[in-house]
Amino acid sequence: TPDSKPSDTRLGQRESAFESMFVHERGFAVAAAVQAAATTMGCSPAQVAFAWQRTRPVTSVIIGARTLAQLDDNLDALAITIPAQVLADL
């Protein structure tokens, strides 16, 4: 196809490396679980992800919001508690 890039170019190699790191069945399964949790809890997938991250032993979370609406959505995760069954599913 005209949009495909040969794998022997730097761009093609970089895209191949990206795909092998991030595009795989486990990633799709995680995305589906987060979406299902968001639907169950009545919030956004980003809020589920941030609320889940707060249950993990980390010292900080990096918020990548580009708009005020995204920042507000991300910060609303502070008010979310993930129910035990949903947390187990995640």
Side-chain angles (χ1 to χ4, degrees), residues 12-90:
Q13 290 170 354
R14 189 171 61 209
E15 286 180 353
S16 259
F18 174 83
E19 287 176 359
S20 68
M21 288 182 352
F22 299 109
V23 181
H24 45 74
E25 289 304 313
R26 182 175 183 274
F28 290 120
V30 168
V34 170
Q35 181 61 56
T39 299
T40 298
M41 296 170 53
C43 62
S44 73
Q47 290 171 344
V48 170
F50 283 119
W52 176 84
Q53 190 66 49
R54 287 192 352 258
T55 71
R56 313 310 300 163
V58 297
T59 57
S60 65
V61 175
I62 297 172
I63 295 177
R66 290 179 289 131
T67 67
L68 185 56
Q70 289 174 341
L71 178 61
D72 287 340
D73 183 69
N74 293 172
L75 293 176
D76 285 345
L78 294 171
I80 293 174
T81 301
I82 301 175
Q85 183 55 52
V86 174
L87 192 55
D89 291 344
L90 292 172

